[in-house]
Amino acid sequence: MMKLMQRASSLYIFEDDDFRRKEFYETCGFTLEIGVNSCSGLGFGSSVWEAALGLCQYFEKEGITFSDKKVIELGAGTGIVSILVALLGGDVTITDQPELLNGIERNVSFNIPSSFKPQVKVRALRWGLDNSLFPSDYDYILCSDIMVFHDSIPLILETLLHLSNERTIVYFASTMSYGQNVTREGHVTLSQYFQTELVCRYDVEDVSVYRMLLNTPTAVQLLNS
């Protein structure tokens, strides 16, 4: 039974408008320094969630590198997954709601050397509203614990279909017990438009990591309807 990676240590900080604590995670030979604030009023995006750790650990286990690959993350929250992917060589666009971008940018500054920073972009992406501002030529799309509300499922699907092409690999990680009905309904919906393979399970935390590829004929039919 695979065990999910844990926080290595944490440090409380004071007189900081954004963060109340820094958490440290060790993966892929890097120590990631992530500012968090569960009392910020910014909702789910100000903490590190299990599915994000599951994706990071999966990349380490599989030895995946992202050199010269174009990557986008949806609902990045603290940015921990994208930060790791940038350190692994990816050209990464980190996206979330506008109010979360400042925290992401600070976490990028904690972890990304100046020589890597041209590879990292932090942008607002409101699902279903800002899709047209982004291209459809990504090599990878990353998602972790983003299916929380029923109303978000069609917006996530619409956004994934816009960003994907027939070569795009989507890594989608979910803690299946969070909003259980929503999460399971969401994955059933996505599987109608993407070929979906369960590639990793963390049973204790109930985290599943899926690898998805666009089911092109079905997606084309949807887009033309």
Side-chain angles (χ1 to χ4, degrees):
M1 182 182 298
M2 187 170 297
K3 188 175 180 180
L4 189 65
M5 64 182 279
Q6 301 295 310
R7 182 177 64 226
S9 62
S10 63
L11 174 69
Y12 282 94
I13 54 179
F14 303 95
E15 298 182 358
D16 189 304
D17 292 336
D18 300 313
F19 303 131
R20 292 293 175 264
R21 190 172 70 249
K22 285 186 179 180
E23 298 180 346
F24 299 86
Y25 298 88
E26 296 178 354
T27 183
C28 298
F30 302 103
T31 298
L32 305 181
E33 177 182 341
I34 304 296
V36 299
N37 184 359
S38 59
C39 301
S40 67
L42 295 176
F44 299 103
S46 53
S47 299
V48 175
W49 295 94
E50 285 87 347
L53 299 180
L55 264 188
C56 292
Q57 187 168 339
Y58 175 73
F59 296 154
E60 179 175 41
K61 179 176 75 74
E62 296 297 318
I64 297 174
T65 63
F66 294 89
S67 297
D68 302 319
K69 300 299 183 182
K70 190 172 181 178
V71 184
I72 188 168
E73 183 179 8
L74 307 184
T78 63
I80 185 172
V81 176
S82 287
I83 287 166
L84 176 62
V85 168
L87 292 171
L88 293 173
D91 183 340
V92 185
T93 300
I94 313 175
T95 73
D96 212 313
Q97 297 292 326
E99 62 269 22
L100 290 166
L101 301 188
N102 179 64
I104 294 172
E105 288 171 345
R106 289 197 62 197
N107 280 329
V108 167
S109 71
F110 296 155
N111 293 277
I112 303 296
S114 57
S115 59
F116 282 72
K117 285 184 178 176
Q119 300 172 209
V120 180
K121 306 171 190 66
V122 179
R123 295 182 60 186
L125 199 174
R126 297 164 297 170
W127 306 327
L129 295 175
D130 299 325
N131 299 351
S132 63
L133 303 177
F134 294 80
S136 303
D137 61 347
Y138 293 100
D139 298 298
Y140 292 94
I141 301 172
L142 310 176
C143 310
S144 60
D145 274 343
I146 65 171
M147 287 193 291
V148 180
F149 304 109
H150 282 285
D151 291 349
S152 70
I153 294 173
L155 301 177
I156 291 170
L157 174 61
E158 179 184 340
T159 304
L160 286 174
L161 290 174
H162 172 79
L163 297 172
S164 299
N165 60 69
E166 65 273 13
R167 295 176 300 278
T168 304
I169 296 172
V170 181
Y171 283 115
F172 204 122
S174 292
T175 306
M176 304 305 291
S177 54
Y178 288 168
Q180 189 170 15
N181 292 337
V182 177
T183 302
R184 296 190 187 281
E185 176 189 327
H187 280 289
V188 169
T189 299
L190 295 181
S191 69
Q192 297 176 51
Y193 302 97
F194 290 84
Q195 303 170 40
T196 302
E197 177 187 5
L198 177 64
V199 293
C200 191
R201 269 284 298 170
Y202 304 93
D203 289 321
V204 173
E205 297 84 2
D206 200 19
V207 171
S208 297
V209 179
Y210 296 93
R211 183 179 187 270
M212 299 164 41
L213 294 170
L214 188 64
N215 186 348
T216 306
T218 305
V220 169
Q221 182 180 3
L222 174 72
L223 292 171
N224 291 337
S225 63

